């Protein structure tokens, strides 16, 4: 009888300790993972493109790139100053060309609907990875207007 009581008390104590650990205790800062893996680089000059169906779109594009030090983007020390309206990404002109080509092949409904935008973002991401040395994880459209 005493052995059963000791076992029940031990199990109850372990249960209370486990409940505290998983329910009541505050998570440590080491457990917090970043929601965005990398840095967000907003292409400074917005896009104004004719769409495949005769309408046009005006949009801002951003790239989630490897954090600084990963060699993903940035002019680096001694790099020439970019032209006015362009950012610090040395291959930005190529990136902009790829984005423009992809967008001008799109129809208005592709940019208006979420599924279409996601498909276009994936096409742009594949093109950037295939044709540049920019280490891009994700393509974002912070602002989109179709007229």
């Amino acid at each position: 009888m005493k052995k059963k009581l000791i076992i029940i008390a031990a199990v109850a104590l372990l249960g209370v300790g486990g409940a505290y650990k998983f329910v009541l205790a505050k998570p440590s800062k080491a457990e917090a993972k970043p929601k965005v893996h990398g840095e967000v680089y907003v292409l400074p000059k917005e896009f104004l493109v004719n769409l495949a169906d005769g309408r046009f779109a005006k949009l801002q594009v951003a790239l989630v790139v490897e954090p600084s030090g990963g060699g993903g983007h940035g002019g680096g020390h001694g790099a020439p100053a970019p032209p006015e309206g362009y950012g610090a990404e040395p291959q930005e002109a190529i990136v902009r060309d790829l984005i423009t080509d992809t967008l001008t092949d799109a129809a208005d409904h592709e940019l208006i609907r979420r599924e279409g935008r996601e498909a276009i973002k994936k096409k742009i991401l594949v093109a950037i990875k295939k044709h540049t040395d920019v280490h891009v994880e994700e393509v974002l459209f912070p602002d989109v207007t179709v007229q």
Side-chain angles (χ1 to χ4, degrees):
M1 180 72 171
K2 269 189 167 182
K3 284 186 179 181
K4 284 185 181 180
L5 197 56
I6 292 173
I7 292 174
I8 291 172
V11 170
L13 188 58
L14 285 173
V16 169
Y20 174 78
K21 171 76 175 156
F22 293 108
V23 178
L24 301 175
K26 292 182 180 178
S28 68
K29 290 184 181 180
E31 293 177 23
K33 293 183 181 178
K35 291 180 175 62
V36 176
H37 303 284
E39 295 176 353
V40 178
Y41 175 74
V42 179
L43 291 149
K45 198 172 178 184
E46 63 190 8
F47 289 81
L48 180 61
V49 294
N50 290 317
L51 299 174
D53 55 5
R55 297 178 75 183
F56 70 92
K58 182 176 175 182
L59 65 156
Q60 188 72 49
V61 178
L63 308 173
V64 178
V65 295
E66 284 183 359
S68 293
H73 77 111
H77 182 66
E84 188 170 327
Y86 288 84
E89 171 54 56
Q91 297 182 34
E92 186 169 329
I94 299 168
V95 170
R96 292 186 63 83
D97 181 60
L98 295 168
I99 293 169
T100 300
D101 284 349
T102 304
L103 290 172
T104 54
D105 286 342
D108 62 350
H109 64 15
E110 291 178 277
L111 280 171
I112 293 170
R113 296 177 52 206
R114 177 188 301 246
E115 300 84 23
R117 282 193 309 272
E118 293 304 317
I120 292 171
K121 289 177 192 179
K122 285 180 184 174
K123 285 180 188 177
I124 292 170
L125 181 63
V126 168
I128 291 171
K129 286 184 175 188
K130 182 177 180 182
H131 299 288
T132 73
D133 298 316
V134 181
H135 299 282
V136 180
E137 302 297 323
E138 188 176 357
V139 175
L140 308 171
F141 295 158
D143 296 309
V144 177
T145 303
V146 177
Q147 294 186 340

